[in-house]
Amino acid sequence: MEETPVILVTAGYDHTIRMWDALKSTCTRSIPYTESQINRMALSSNKHYLAVAGNPRVSLYDVFGTSEQPVLNLDGHKANVTAVEFTQDYKFLATCSEDKTIRWWDIYAGSCRRVLDNGSIVNDLAIHPDSRQELIISCDQKGRVRVWSLKRQEILCQAVPQTDVAVRSVAVSPNGQLVVAGNNLGQVFVYRLTIDSSPQTGRIVELEPYINFDAHDGYKITRVLFSSNGLYLVTCSADHSAKLWQLSERIVPAPNGNREGMIQAGAELVHHLEYHLRWVWDAAFSSDSGYLVTVSSDMRAALWDISSGTVIREFKGHGKALVCVALNDATG
């Protein structure tokens, strides 16, 4: 079977998974999902598998199959599954849940290999891109950003951007050096993730504060996500918009002029993406970082040209709020 070059999938509260022809804005396949709403989705890097996070089950579908039934169901969570992510080799899957746990699944065995007890509702997670590190980054309802060791099943370090303010979403840059968290007050916090190893001290992992900024004027951030090339950061929000940012450093004069200039890091707004009529819940970048798809409670998905910040396609057909999107258009 010839593989479809672009896999675009949307879902939400109408109990339907829709796959789209991204160029024609037409739905090519519809899969009923009657068990619950769908909270998050992920596509494997080889495009063959779609992971769907519901309440409380995670299901895997064959993207190129014709059956409406999943090829695998992963049972273990006891409440809403809030995030799902494949490893790059699509052998494992990480999930987190309102049941206060993070789970690590062996896809080929169809079983859970690790359970990490967070002690609070886990809102989002990200797998560190360097698989040798065996790290998962999570955020939770108590406002904590945590770095976990999968192997040791323990917390290596944590940060609390703002006390008692829930952190809604977390992302790791493609080079693994930055962690970004977005909270319920519209604030974004960027950390440097440092990993040092030595025979004397072992591995020391730290989250070092780097940049923080107000992204959405007090409105909840629903999603933060890096582009594939690491140049852009998108934030989605309850303010009915998404914003595209670039993180940058510049040299500023030092105080009193008695030494060399200082490096100042910050975030520059590239585009304010205003199109949706209700909350924007999720986003997905194209593999070349030239396009972005957003989804909203207004039941629409929008395809954006990043260079111009304009909508070039819209996708309609869902009957209730759209809250998640998955995109894989990689050619290699």
Side-chain angles (χ1 to χ4, degrees):
M1 179 184 295
E2 183 180 353
E3 291 189 4
T4 307
V6 179
I7 307 297
L8 174 61
V9 193
T10 56
Y13 277 76
D14 67 354
H15 302 287
T16 305
I17 302 164
R18 288 181 178 268
M19 298 185 182
W20 301 87
D21 182 321
L23 298 178
K24 298 178 181 178
S25 300
T26 55
C27 181
T28 57
R29 185 181 176 194
S30 181
I31 303 172
Y33 190 87
T34 58
E35 293 187 11
S36 71
Q37 81 284 352
I38 297 171
N39 301 313
R40 189 74 71 84
M41 297 185 297
L43 284 162
S44 61
S45 59
N46 68 349
K47 302 184 182 181
H48 279 272
Y49 299 106
L50 173 71
V52 173
N55 181 10
R57 173 176 282 178
V58 178
S59 299
L60 264 65
Y61 291 86
D62 181 350
V63 170
F64 301 108
T66 56
S67 173
E68 295 182 344
Q69 300 302 312
V71 295
L72 179 65
N73 286 316
L74 300 174
D75 294 307
H77 283 299
K78 306 301 181 184
N80 261 318
V81 182
T82 52
V84 58
E85 185 173 330
F86 283 97
T87 55
Q88 184 60 29
D89 62 8
Y90 47 88
K91 293 180 179 179
F92 298 94
L93 195 71
T95 59
C96 59
S97 170
E98 292 178 359
D99 69 8
K100 306 179 182 181
T101 68
I102 298 166
R103 287 179 175 262
W104 184 256
W105 306 87
D106 183 325
I107 294 174
Y108 293 138
S111 60
C112 181
R113 292 296 177 90
R114 299 278 191 277
V115 179
L116 308 176
D117 185 1
N118 186 67
S120 174
I121 289 173
V122 190
N123 290 324
D124 199 7
L125 61 73
I127 301 173
H128 192 279
D130 184 349
S131 60
R132 297 170 299 176
Q133 301 295 341
E134 296 187 316
L135 299 178
I136 286 180
I137 295 87
S138 69
C139 64
D140 65 33
Q141 200 66 15
K142 287 190 175 180
R144 300 172 298 196
V145 178
R146 288 177 158 176
V147 182
W148 299 81
S149 165
L150 267 175
K151 186 175 182 179
R152 292 159 55 182
Q153 300 187 64
E154 64 181 16
I155 301 162
L156 299 178
C157 66
Q158 76 171 28
V160 183
Q162 192 159 337
T163 306
D164 296 326
V165 178
V167 179
R168 186 61 52 188
S169 184
V170 70
V172 183
S173 61
N175 63 9
Q177 296 177 6
L178 298 178
V179 170
V180 174
N183 74 8
N184 272 0
L185 295 180
Q187 300 167 317
V188 174
F189 299 85
V190 186
Y191 297 88
R192 289 190 184 275
L193 179 62
T194 60
I195 304 171
D196 294 317
S197 299
S198 71
Q200 292 77 25
T201 62
R203 185 170 67 165
I204 299 175
V205 178
E206 294 181 318
L207 287 168
E208 174 190 338
Y210 180 47
I211 301 169
N212 64 77
F213 58 97
D214 291 322
H216 289 274
D217 300 322
Y219 287 87
K220 289 182 180 180
I221 290 176
T222 53
R223 189 82 157 102
V224 296
L225 187 70
F226 278 102
S227 61
S228 303
N229 61 9
L231 294 180
Y232 299 107
L233 173 73
V234 68
T235 56
C236 303
S237 173
D239 68 5
H240 303 182
S241 77
K243 292 184 179 181
L244 196 66
W245 308 85
Q246 280 190 320
L247 306 181
S248 60
E249 293 181 345
R250 61 190 180 96
I251 298 176
V252 298
N256 305 322
N258 58 1
R259 57 178 180 174
E260 293 183 1
M262 301 171 60
I263 295 177
Q264 185 179 77
E268 176 186 352
L269 180 62
V270 179
H271 292 301
H272 189 180
L273 306 176
E274 296 180 287
Y275 169 79
H276 291 291
L277 303 176
R278 296 184 181 177
W279 287 35
V280 179
W281 286 99
D282 197 8
F285 282 97
S286 62
S287 60
D288 66 359
S289 304
Y291 300 91
L292 178 76
V293 180
T294 54
V295 292
S296 166
S297 297
D298 67 10
M299 301 183 289
R300 296 181 298 174
L303 175 64
W304 301 81
D305 182 319
I306 287 177
S307 62
S308 64
T310 57
V311 173
I312 58 175
R313 297 276 192 284
E314 70 172 8
F315 304 87
K316 296 180 179 180
H318 284 278
K320 290 187 178 181
L322 274 181
V323 297
C324 53
V325 60
L327 172 66
N328 187 337
D329 65 336
T331 56

